[in-house]
Amino acid sequence: MEATIEVTGLRKRFGRTTALDGMTFTARPGLVTGLVGPDGAGKSTAMRVVLGLDTADEGTALVGGRPYRSLRDPLCQVGALLDADALHPNRSGRNHLLWLARSHGLGARRVDELIERVGLGDAARRRAGGYSPGVRVRLGIAAALIGDPPVLMLDEPFDGLDPEGVDWLRGLLRSLAEEGRAVLVSTPLMSELQGVAGHLVVAWRGRVVADTGVAELVADASRGRVALRTTARPEAMTALAGAGAAVAVTGRETLTVAGLAPERVVALLDAEGVPFSEVAAHRATLEEAYMDLTRDAVGFEPVAGGEESAR
Ligand code: ADP
């Protein structure tokens, strides 16, 4: 059986709150699958159900084709990071890992390999109580990897990381997927997964509202858009909007234009005497594609964030 996470028709209520309302998705080997959606969308609940920490009212959640509770040696089947703060404050990171390793018949060598892999460095021998969010995430991922599982599930691992930490985590996730693992990562901020996710599952109100490959999504969002570089942004916007284009500001000297062919853009700017230095096919960022997708699918405004949207 392929090492996948397969969630089908999950429903879960907490009192009057519907946390999961028919959630269905699959995370496949060799790919980072982004589970993206605003707070309260049901991302954590779905992950907790996969691990058997919550019981669904309806539906199934399988890891490698089996319910989590029936897995033999679960840490060798699926590694998870749900709460990076769940640490004993007086224990060192290394001791935390040693304890976990021993419970699975693994030794100090495995622990030291993982400390190296996640770049814990000297922090491994310090008390976990003093760890920054970035160090806690490194330790949490090392713990998730202890049994070398083919499936990984990380709930909002980018939360609290500085830009350097975000870059590091993107690289690590890519390499874990390249090793053939199925990697499921949740986040409220699409921009974090730029260049990382191969597949996207967009969750909203306990349901999946989009399930798509990232390459197709970005190609769709790029189609028919023109990127323009000009020192006369207001004048360019007036000229192009006057011709019926939808114009968005993407930087101090850059705009994207939808609804006009590149030749029309050039002709219009020339006619109006607006200077420009570049007109090119636009390549959408993952976040732009996500914005389009959520607007079309359900009309919710996702949280904008990350460096891509701030540019
Ligand atoms: P996300 O991870 O996407 O932010 P969650 O799965 O944490 O979403 O939450 C989905 C909904 O379920 C939210 O409305 C949340 O308040 C509710 N919820 C989650 N866990 C519990 C719980 N243990 N008790 C009551 N409500 C809960």
Side-chain angles (χ1 to χ4, degrees):
M1 181 69 203
E2 244 190 2
T4 54
I5 299 171
E6 212 179 336
V7 153
T8 313
L10 288 187
R11 291 184 193 279
K12 173 75 180 173
R13 294 180 68 99
F14 293 102
R16 293 167 61 188
T17 306
T18 300
L20 298 176
D21 189 15
M23 179 93 63
T24 298
F25 64 82
T26 301
R28 296 197 164 77
L31 270 186
V32 175
T33 299
L35 178 57
V36 189
D39 283 343
K43 306 181 297 293
S44 302
T45 305
M47 289 186 167
R48 292 176 55 82
V49 168
V50 170
L51 294 177
L53 297 170
D54 272 332
T55 309
D57 303 328
E58 275 178 53
T60 55
L62 304 176
V63 177
R66 306 176 64 133
Y68 183 86
R69 285 178 194 172
S70 78
L71 296 177
R72 247 183 290 143
D73 255 350
L75 291 190
C76 300
Q77 309 292 329
V78 51
L81 173 60
L82 296 196
D83 179 2
D85 297 338
L87 287 169
H88 193 298
N90 289 325
R91 201 182 269 157
S92 73
R94 188 167 183 276
N95 277 341
H96 174 79
L97 294 173
L98 276 173
W99 166 80
L100 202 63
R102 292 211 175 107
S103 74
H104 261 66
L106 299 161
R109 223 178 80 193
R110 176 75 186 141
V111 166
D112 290 327
E113 267 170 35
L114 286 169
I115 287 172
E116 174 80 29
R117 171 132 205 209
V118 302
L120 259 182
D122 296 343
R125 291 180 186 271
R126 292 200 298 267
R127 316 175 34 246
Y131 286 175
S132 66
V135 175
R136 284 199 289 266
V137 166
R138 285 174 199 256
L139 178 59
I141 293 179
L145 286 171
I146 204 109
D148 196 17
V151 175
L152 277 171
M153 205 164 60
L154 312 174
D155 194 11
E156 303 199 7
F158 288 97
D159 194 25
L161 296 189
D162 56 16
E164 193 190 328
V166 168
D167 271 352
W168 162 78
L169 183 53
R170 284 175 171 157
L172 180 70
L173 295 175
R174 268 194 302 266
S175 72
L176 291 167
E178 277 161 16
E179 290 163 8
R181 296 178 220 263
V183 184
L184 180 68
V185 182
S186 76
T187 174
L189 296 178
M190 185 72 263
S191 55
E192 290 168 342
L193 295 178
Q194 177 87 36
V196 178
H199 197 88
L200 278 189
V201 173
V202 180
W204 190 61
R205 295 194 177 167
R207 285 179 292 125
V208 169
V209 293
D211 188 332
T212 175
V214 167
E216 299 95 281
L217 181 69
V218 169
D220 268 358
S222 307
R223 199 163 294 137
R225 289 197 191 172
V226 176
L228 171 67
R229 179 172 293 279
T230 171
T231 50
R233 215 177 59 187
E235 293 79 2
M237 289 180 79
T238 308
L240 297 167
V247 187
V249 175
T250 46
R252 208 160 47 83
E253 294 192 353
T254 54
L255 297 170
T256 57
V257 185
L260 288 178
E263 308 77 46
R264 269 290 277 150
V265 171
V266 171
L268 269 166
L269 296 176
D270 268 342
E272 299 289 327
V274 180
F276 61 91
S277 59
E278 194 181 336
V279 173
H282 172 64
R283 180 163 167 80
T285 62
L286 190 50
E287 179 154 313
E288 283 173 317
Y290 176 56
M291 296 277 178
D292 282 2
L293 179 73
T294 51
R295 211 179 298 120
D296 296 349
V298 286
F300 83 78
E301 280 298 322
V303 194
E307 63 268 46
E308 278 77 19
S309 66
R311 242 190 288 140

